[in-house]
Amino acid sequence: MASDLRLVLIISFVSVLVFSTSSSPLPRFPRQNRARIQLFGGDRNSYQYETKYFSQQLDHFSFADLPKFSQRYLINSDHWTGASELGPIFLYCGNEGDIEWFATNSGFIWEIAPKFGALLVFPEHRYYGESMPYGSRDEAYKNATTLSYLTTEQALADFAVFVTDLKRNLSAEASPVVLFGGSYGGMLAAWMRLKYPHIAIGALASSAPILQFEDIVPPQTFYDIVSNDFKRESSTCFNTIKNSWDAIIAEGQKENGLQQLSKTFHFCRALNSTDDLSDWLDSAYSYLAMVDYPYPADFMMPLPGHPIKEVCRKIDGASSDASILERIYAGVSVYYNYTGKVGCFELDDDPHGLDGWNWQACTEMVMPMSSSQENSMFTAYDFNYSSYKEDCWNTFGVNPRPRWVTTELGGHDIETALKSFGSNIIFSNGLLDPWSGGSVLKNLSSTIVALVTEEGGHHLDLRPSTPEDPKWLVEQREAEIGLIQGWIRTYRLEKEAQFPLLKRSW
Amino acid sequence: MASDLRLVLIISFVSVLVFSTSSSPLPRFPRQNRARIQLFGGDRNSYQYETKYFSQQLDHFSFADLPKFSQRYLINSDHWTGASELGPIFLYCGNEGDIEWFATNSGFIWEIAPKFGALLVFPEHRYYGESMPYGSRDEAYKNATTLSYLTTEQALADFAVFVTDLKRNLSAEASPVVLFGGSYGGMLAAWMRLKYPHIAIGALASSAPILQFEDIVPPQTFYDIVSNDFKRESSTCFNTIKNSWDAIIAEGQKENGLQQLSKTFHFCRALNSTDDLSDWLDSAYSYLAMVDYPYPADFMMPLPGHPIKEVCRKIDGASSDASILERIYAGVSVYYNYTGKVGCFELDDDPHGLDGWNWQACTEMVMPMSSSQENSMFTAYDFNYSSYKEDCWNTFGVNPRPRWVTTELGGHDIETALKSFGSNIIFSNGLLDPWSGGSVLKNLSSTIVALVTEEGGHHLDLRPSTPEDPKWLVEQREAEIGLIQGWIRTYRLEKEAQFPLLKRSW
């Protein structure tokens, strides 16, 4: 990663925004990651659902005369015990991408639905997938005016309106709603529970970095955790990566250096700059830290179990005469080409130059990220808000409001704020996940609890169970199920107490 | 009150919307009430404050490129113990009117400030008083587009942004904020505490009818309480009023009937219809029920203590040959002319034909109100949403979203929703107040509590103490002070526990 480039935002697995302060003013995207979502994005066939659409208000918070839009949602009622039994509704808070991808990668919810007799709904986040205001992606993403309703608060209101209407249509007003979400979706689930306690009785917020704003956590947190994930596997591996950035620049400055780098790293076309290569590597390391799962998985890319161990094995285990760059290539190939089927790598910019998450990052979701000289295997970098803001203006014609999200949604001094306020939220985190540093890692009250696993990755608990699941993962999921059962039990007892004559079989 | 007319909304003392479904499509306003606010609106001289302005976002929930506006606020730091002592900040949630009026009529807050060492701030609600977007009232109220940002959620966000900025400027980030509000301001205080728990540690929501929406309480509630307030004083008084509506219509249908009515009721100009008279009376009875305080007060109008008793004394005590209309006039004069200085009464429509609260009523604040044949002294009337909606369209070119407020802010099944959620809200109510029927009258949890006084009126507890205060009122205020002290104490203990080295003198 070149010193003037910085991967400033990665949320979930969908988009990566790289701001260059020196070259292109447009954010660039490791296209490989995004392209593969469709290829490896989950086991579509194992989950059956209906796809439906809901006519949604574009602006919930003003009465401007705006066109409604069609919000997609997926629904499965196979196991629902129905309204008369107060059958619960499990709502996944769709995040920044195609809802089918999140739905089919959230096996946990599908697996527990029969146990709970739950109706499953997966509403899509506005401005993603098929849920486009103004009729099409091109229109929705046209400019800052059309994009201006792509905000977290509007998305939460969408969920509130959607599920209220759904319950009314099903005469299921009394059915308890439980929220689920991973990554940004987990942030939405936690915020939804806090902001709409009358809508949902509890939330499982998995890998939800709701504290990754302003000065709440140190800006180095993310890259420090990525780096630690490599260091714990092998300090030589960590050092090789740490030294590789200078090696890349040195190579790039040679005559035909870029060509040579392109060859070493098997790019289909010649690199335009060493920055492109650094971003590509940075992205791989960051994602590897997130999906450092204990068994093979293909959430983002098909990968072996403990993929960082595998990467470091390649880096450390290359023949003794291998150059530092050849070692890096061997390592990163675990990420980009584990199947061995990729002949060469593409490195295209996003053709639109605009992406939903990047807009959100340039408005509300300003997450300061630096990397430290001491603890990081990346080059030292200090987050610079001025240039961040400038890039946002150049890209979208919008000014961020970096303090708004904590004003609206909290975060500072969260322990005091929530100690006697709110209830029924699980913050689940794996400490290998670099996003865990910005999440809630200890109990805030008796009912706002943190479930933390040392060896866990990014919302691993939401993935389907496998025979290879380690004991701690099985136990984590059991704890989650137990807590959710408790929420529903308490809710039903209160309902019973209110309407003793309506006592039912639950 | 004519059968095709209905007082559908009265919140606080500022505005009254009367929809006519048969005559003018514009809402009409008992102008007397509004005009006198300035004359009798509180004891300005006894409270000193600075008037300041804050540059505020017009739309917090989109990134549309809109002009900021100047939000007025009043501030008094005479008694503040300061940031280093974690001196509390008391924030009055400004409601639908000039903030000076609310500030100078909330003596309770001023009186307890020294005891708490509190900073007092009174931010004005957007689109009221001087806090006008687009530079002026005329521009702000120009049309549905300019008015579209006059919403409750935007107002709450204003308060959140305002106080966050204020605290930062005072380096008082750690100071606890306590919210106060009466009537709609009380609704805002309660909602603010629920939606922004990280901003304020508790709320005193006085006479806050947060349940006066949709089907949560019966639509007859308001007028039934008004009627009961009269009936409890005198059933003959109640019956005289109940019979008067037909007498008014009968008189109006006579030749020169309107002229005769104008004379009987001492209007400066001849009435155009009996509806005008009915509205004028309806408004007086409703306000009398609200301000049926136990001692003389001049909040809305200068009035004696127990004004309904006084009205009924006049109605019942008129000479035995007095007609029913003469009795009514004698009674209502207590309300409109207690000082005896009014020679004749004006009955003008609002010159603008637009009013902020009416806009809010036509968008989010849809409060269904009917009156029952059985219990009400008013003519029977069923709230008709279709004609309500039509009137809103004709008046403002806007369609209400009658279900939005409960989706966004809750209300249905509030007991279950808040039993284990939220904390530190006092709902204070007097049962003489017709708005009490739409408020929270029992404890929802150990920290979301209701303080109910049988003989209390509309946010009587927020008024300054007087030597005539009955024991129950003194006790109610003591209970409020005790609860607020408890919130602050707990907050400080938690802060102490977090930062043991920073132990202070509190």
Side-chain angles (χ1 to χ4, degrees):
Chain A
M1 186 166 49
S3 65
D4 62 345
L5 283 172
R6 181 58 36 170
L7 176 76
V8 282
L9 290 153
I10 314 171
I11 267 278
S12 192
F13 299 101
V14 177
S15 66
V16 181
L17 167 62
V18 184
F19 273 143
S20 157
T21 55
S22 65
S23 52
S24 159
L26 281 173
R28 284 169 295 155
F29 306 86
R31 189 168 169 277
Q32 288 74 8
N33 301 345
R34 308 199 316 129
R36 298 210 178 189
I37 288 169
Q38 299 309 320
L39 294 173
F40 304 109
D43 189 0
R44 220 1 255 276
N45 296 326
S46 58
Y47 308 120
Q48 301 297 323
Y49 48 77
E50 279 185 90
T51 302
K52 296 190 172 183
Y53 299 85
F54 178 73
S55 176
Q56 188 65 265
Q57 203 75 41
L58 182 53
D59 188 357
H60 296 280
F61 304 102
S62 90
F63 282 79
D65 187 22
L66 291 163
K68 293 203 165 199
F69 74 96
S70 193
Q71 179 174 28
R72 178 167 57 152
Y73 66 99
L74 317 180
I75 186 164
N76 175 303
S77 58
D78 291 350
H79 303 286
W80 195 39
T81 50
S84 63
E85 297 287 323
L86 297 197
I89 297 170
F90 286 179
L91 184 148
Y92 183 91
C93 298
N95 28 329
E96 74 291 17
D98 188 304
I99 191 60
E100 291 199 330
W101 189 61
F102 296 112
T104 53
N105 273 287
S106 302
F108 176 67
I109 305 171
W110 295 91
E111 286 178 8
I112 65 174
K115 187 184 200 80
F116 283 90
L119 178 73
L120 303 186
V121 284
F122 298 82
E124 191 164 59
H125 194 298
R126 54 169 56 199
Y127 288 83
Y128 293 102
E130 294 183 9
S131 299
M132 288 295 162
Y134 302 106
S136 72
R137 186 187 158 88
D138 282 351
E139 286 299 311
Y141 280 68
K142 201 169 182 178
N143 55 43
T145 303
T146 61
L147 273 166
S148 70
Y149 307 101
L150 169 48
T151 72
T152 293
E153 298 82 357
Q154 301 279 5
L156 295 176
D158 287 343
F159 297 150
V161 169
F162 159 73
V163 74
T164 302
D165 187 83
L166 180 78
K167 287 172 78 170
R168 193 182 297 122
N169 286 341
L170 297 170
S171 302
E173 283 92 342
S175 280
V177 175
V178 178
L179 306 164
F180 295 81
S183 196
Y184 172 52
M187 298 161 78
L188 294 173
W191 286 329
M192 182 91 192
R193 168 63 185 154
L194 286 174
K195 288 282 183 184
Y196 295 87
H198 51 288
I199 301 276
I201 64 164
L204 170 55
S206 183
S207 300
I210 61 166
L211 306 179
Q212 193 76 45
F213 297 98
E214 293 185 53
D215 55 356
I216 303 176
V217 297
Q220 301 81 13
T221 304
F222 184 95
Y223 284 111
D224 279 3
I225 296 176
V226 175
S227 301
N228 281 336
D229 287 356
F230 283 81
K231 198 180 219 166
R232 70 193 277 277
E233 295 295 351
S234 153
S235 59
T236 55
C237 175
F238 171 93
N239 285 323
T240 305
I241 295 169
K242 195 176 173 77
N243 294 329
S244 69
W245 312 108
D246 284 348
I248 288 168
I249 290 170
E251 184 67 27
Q253 285 170 343
K254 290 181 187 164
E255 202 180 355
N256 295 326
L258 285 174
Q259 227 165 342
Q260 185 55 44
L261 280 173
S262 309
K263 201 172 151 197
T264 306
F265 284 90
H266 293 233
F267 287 109
C268 305
R269 275 177 286 277
L271 287 164
N272 288 324
S273 76
T274 53
D275 289 351
D276 288 346
L277 173 57
S278 298
D279 294 347
W280 188 73
L281 293 171
D282 177 304
S283 173
Y285 301 140
S286 300
Y287 282 132
L288 278 160
M290 286 194 262
V291 298
D292 198 17
Y293 296 149
Y295 53 77
D298 61 359
F299 186 29
M300 193 67 202
M301 298 287 207
L303 288 173
H306 301 291
I308 291 183
K309 192 187 290 291
E310 200 64 28
V311 169
C312 283
R313 207 196 314 270
K314 294 282 186 189
I315 288 177
D316 293 347
S319 68
S320 57
D321 63 346
S323 73
I324 191 167
L325 296 182
E326 283 163 349
R327 285 173 191 272
I328 294 294
Y329 173 70
V332 81
S333 293
V334 172
Y335 180 70
Y336 283 122
N337 191 17
Y338 184 61
T339 61
K341 290 180 181 163
V342 183
C344 62
F345 300 103
E346 296 287 353
L347 194 79
D348 292 349
D349 278 355
D350 175 66
H352 295 288
L354 292 171
D355 179 79
W357 182 255
N358 295 332
W359 166 266
Q360 292 191 255
C362 276
T363 49
E364 299 176 314
M365 297 290 129
V366 179
M367 296 177 168
M369 288 204 187
S370 301
S371 66
S372 61
Q373 183 66 53
E374 306 76 38
N375 306 318
S376 166
M377 66 185 193
F378 301 94
T379 45
Y381 173 82
D382 283 330
F383 176 77
N384 180 325
Y385 178 64
S386 299
S387 62
Y388 186 93
K389 186 181 169 186
E390 197 182 318
D391 287 332
C392 287
W393 182 259
N394 291 336
T395 309
F396 293 107
V398 76
N399 282 319
R401 295 182 202 153
R403 284 174 167 154
W404 165 241
V405 78
T406 64
T407 302
E408 169 68 11
L409 300 164
H412 286 109
D413 195 17
I414 193 168
E415 275 180 79
T416 314
L418 297 189
K419 199 182 180 83
S420 67
F421 189 96
S423 63
N424 299 358
I425 304 178
I426 304 166
F427 289 99
S428 65
N429 281 285
L431 295 183
L432 297 183
D433 175 17
W435 290 113
S436 66
S439 185
V440 176
L441 296 175
K442 58 180 175 175
N443 297 351
L444 301 181
S445 72
S446 62
T447 59
I448 305 184
V449 299
L451 294 182
V452 180
T453 56
E454 274 187 37
E455 300 288 318
H458 199 53
H459 52 63
L460 177 57
D461 52 335
L462 290 187
R463 296 190 55 74
S465 61
T466 74
E468 299 99 329
D469 287 343
K471 190 158 166 273
W472 52 262
L473 178 56
V474 174
E475 287 171 353
Q476 181 186 19
R477 292 200 183 113
E478 277 168 4
E480 290 169 358
I481 291 168
L483 286 164
I484 296 167
Q485 281 173 327
W487 303 341
I488 295 173
R489 197 182 311 119
T490 302
Y491 172 82
R492 286 174 167 172
L493 287 172
E494 275 159 21
K495 280 278 173 197
E496 253 178 31
Q498 267 181 289
F499 306 105
L501 297 178
L502 292 175
K503 207 157 187 169
R504 292 172 210 268
S505 56
W506 53 71
Chain B
M1 185 167 50
S3 65
D4 62 345
L5 283 171
R6 181 57 36 170
L7 177 77
V8 283
L9 289 154
I10 315 170
I11 268 279
S12 192
F13 298 101
V14 177
S15 65
V16 181
L17 166 62
V18 183
F19 273 143
S20 158
T21 54
S22 65
S23 52
S24 159
L26 282 173
R28 285 169 295 155
F29 306 85
R31 192 168 167 275
Q32 287 75 6
N33 301 345
R34 307 198 317 129
R36 299 211 176 187
I37 289 169
Q38 300 308 322
L39 294 173
F40 305 108
D43 189 0
R44 218 4 254 277
N45 295 327
S46 58
Y47 308 120
Q48 301 297 325
Y49 47 78
E50 279 185 90
T51 301
K52 296 191 171 182
Y53 298 86
F54 178 73
S55 176
Q56 189 64 267
Q57 203 74 43
L58 182 53
D59 188 357
H60 296 281
F61 304 102
S62 89
F63 283 79
D65 188 22
L66 292 163
K68 292 202 167 199
F69 73 96
S70 193
Q71 180 175 27
R72 177 167 58 150
Y73 66 99
L74 316 181
I75 186 164
N76 175 303
S77 59
D78 291 351
H79 303 286
W80 194 39
T81 51
S84 63
E85 295 288 324
L86 298 197
I89 297 170
F90 286 179
L91 184 147
Y92 182 90
C93 299
N95 28 330
E96 76 290 16
D98 188 303
I99 190 60
E100 291 199 331
W101 189 62
F102 296 112
T104 52
N105 273 287
S106 302
F108 176 67
I109 305 172
W110 295 90
E111 286 178 8
I112 65 173
K115 185 183 201 81
F116 283 91
L119 178 72
L120 303 186
V121 284
F122 298 82
E124 192 164 58
H125 194 297
R126 54 170 56 201
Y127 288 84
Y128 293 102
E130 294 184 8
S131 299
M132 287 296 162
Y134 302 105
S136 72
R137 186 189 158 86
D138 282 351
E139 286 300 311
Y141 280 68
K142 200 170 182 177
N143 55 42
T145 303
T146 60
L147 273 166
S148 70
Y149 307 101
L150 169 47
T151 72
T152 293
E153 298 82 358
Q154 302 279 4
L156 295 176
D158 287 343
F159 297 149
V161 169
F162 159 73
V163 75
T164 302
D165 187 82
L166 181 77
K167 286 173 78 170
R168 193 182 297 122
N169 286 340
L170 297 171
S171 302
E173 283 91 341
S175 281
V177 175
V178 178
L179 305 164
F180 294 82
S183 196
Y184 171 52
M187 298 160 80
L188 294 172
W191 286 329
M192 182 91 192
R193 168 63 185 153
L194 286 174
K195 288 282 183 183
Y196 295 87
H198 50 288
I199 301 276
I201 64 164
L204 169 56
S206 184
S207 301
I210 61 166
L211 306 180
Q212 193 76 46
F213 297 98
E214 292 186 54
D215 55 355
I216 303 176
V217 297
Q220 301 80 13
T221 304
F222 184 94
Y223 284 111
D224 280 1
I225 295 175
V226 175
S227 302
N228 281 335
D229 287 356
F230 283 80
K231 197 180 220 166
R232 70 192 276 278
E233 295 295 351
S234 154
S235 59
T236 55
C237 174
F238 172 93
N239 284 324
T240 305
I241 294 169
K242 196 175 173 79
N243 293 328
S244 69
W245 312 107
D246 284 347
I248 289 168
I249 290 170
E251 184 67 26
Q253 285 170 342
K254 291 181 189 165
E255 204 180 351
N256 295 325
L258 286 174
Q259 227 165 342
Q260 185 54 44
L261 281 173
S262 309
K263 202 173 152 197
T264 305
F265 284 90
H266 292 232
F267 287 109
C268 306
R269 275 176 287 276
L271 287 163
N272 288 323
S273 75
T274 54
D275 289 351
D276 288 348
L277 174 57
S278 298
D279 294 347
W280 188 73
L281 294 171
D282 176 304
S283 173
Y285 301 139
S286 300
Y287 282 133
L288 279 161
M290 286 194 261
V291 298
D292 197 17
Y293 296 150
Y295 53 78
D298 61 359
F299 187 29
M300 193 67 203
M301 299 286 206
L303 287 174
H306 301 290
I308 291 183
K309 194 188 288 290
E310 201 62 29
V311 169
C312 283
R313 207 195 315 268
K314 295 282 187 189
I315 288 177
D316 293 347
S319 68
S320 58
D321 62 345
S323 73
I324 191 168
L325 296 183
E326 284 163 351
R327 286 172 189 272
I328 293 294
Y329 173 70
V332 83
S333 292
V334 172
Y335 180 71
Y336 282 123
N337 191 17
Y338 184 60
T339 62
K341 290 179 181 162
V342 182
C344 63
F345 301 103
E346 295 287 353
L347 195 80
D348 291 350
D349 278 353
D350 176 67
H352 296 289
L354 291 171
D355 178 78
W357 181 256
N358 295 332
W359 165 266
Q360 292 191 255
C362 276
T363 50
E364 300 176 314
M365 298 290 130
V366 179
M367 297 178 167
M369 288 204 188
S370 302
S371 67
S372 60
Q373 183 66 54
E374 307 75 38
N375 306 318
S376 166
M377 66 185 193
F378 302 95
T379 44
Y381 173 82
D382 282 329
F383 176 77
N384 180 325
Y385 178 64
S386 300
S387 63
Y388 187 94
K389 186 180 167 185
E390 198 182 317
D391 286 332
C392 287
W393 183 259
N394 291 337
T395 309
F396 293 108
V398 75
N399 282 318
R401 295 182 200 153
R403 284 173 167 154
W404 166 241
V405 79
T406 64
T407 302
E408 170 67 12
L409 300 164
H412 286 111
D413 195 17
I414 194 169
E415 274 180 80
T416 314
L418 297 188
K419 198 182 181 84
S420 66
F421 188 96
S423 62
N424 299 359
I425 305 179
I426 304 166
F427 289 99
S428 66
N429 281 285
L431 294 184
L432 296 184
D433 175 17
W435 290 113
S436 66
S439 184
V440 175
L441 296 175
K442 59 179 175 176
N443 297 350
L444 301 181
S445 71
S446 61
T447 60
I448 305 184
V449 299
L451 294 181
V452 179
T453 56
E454 273 185 39
E455 299 288 317
H458 200 51
H459 53 64
L460 176 57
D461 51 335
L462 290 187
R463 296 189 55 74
S465 61
T466 73
E468 299 99 330
D469 288 343
K471 191 159 167 270
W472 52 261
L473 177 56
V474 175
E475 287 171 353
Q476 181 186 19
R477 292 201 183 111
E478 277 169 4
E480 290 169 358
I481 291 168
L483 286 164
I484 296 168
Q485 281 174 327
W487 302 340
I488 294 173
R489 196 181 311 120
T490 303
Y491 173 82
R492 285 173 167 172
L493 287 173
E494 273 158 23
K495 279 278 173 198
E496 254 179 31
Q498 265 180 290
F499 306 106
L501 297 177
L502 293 175
K503 208 158 187 168
R504 292 171 211 269
S505 57
W506 54 70

